[in-house]
């Protein structure tokens, strides 16, 4: 996959939380070929805000999923 320089520049010029999530998304699936689970170091509200910006930019598509760990159901993404 080749990432257009415009997308790289756009990501690098965003506020730190958006830039961090952009990098985490790209690292999770650098080839953009499939749905990948995403683990973010961002706090919940910061993640939601950054995710909204990335979604609106059209660079990444997020799919909410449910995860059951230790008997607890958690909404991801």
């Amino acid at each position: 996959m080749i990432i257009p320089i415009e997308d790289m520049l756009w990501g690098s010029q965003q506020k730190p939380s958006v830039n961090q999530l952009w990098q985490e998304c790209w690292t999770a699936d650098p080839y953009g070929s499939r749905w990948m689970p995403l683990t973010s170091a961002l706090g919940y509200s910061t993640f939601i805000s950054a995710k909204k910006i990335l979604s609106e930019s059209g660079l990444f598509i997020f799919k909410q999923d449910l995860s059951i760990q230790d008997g607890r159901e958690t909404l991801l993404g």
Side-chain angles (χ1 to χ4, degrees), residues 19-33:
N19 183 280
Q20 179 178 337
L21 186 57
W22 189 96
Q23 290 179 31
E24 290 173 350
C25 289
W26 185 82
T27 301
D29 186 19
Y31 302 106
S33 59

Side-chain angles (χ1 to χ4, degrees), residues 39-74:
T39 302
S40 177
L42 297 173
Y44 181 76
S45 61
T46 304
F47 171 80
I48 295 300
S49 176
K51 180 181 96 163
K52 182 176 189 246
I53 292 169
L54 286 180
S55 293
E56 290 173 351
S57 75
L59 294 177
F60 294 97
I61 299 170
F62 295 88
K63 178 180 93 168
Q64 290 188 342
D65 204 355
L66 294 176
S67 173
I68 298 177
Q69 295 178 348
D70 302 329
R72 295 178 293 173
E73 189 174 284
T74 306

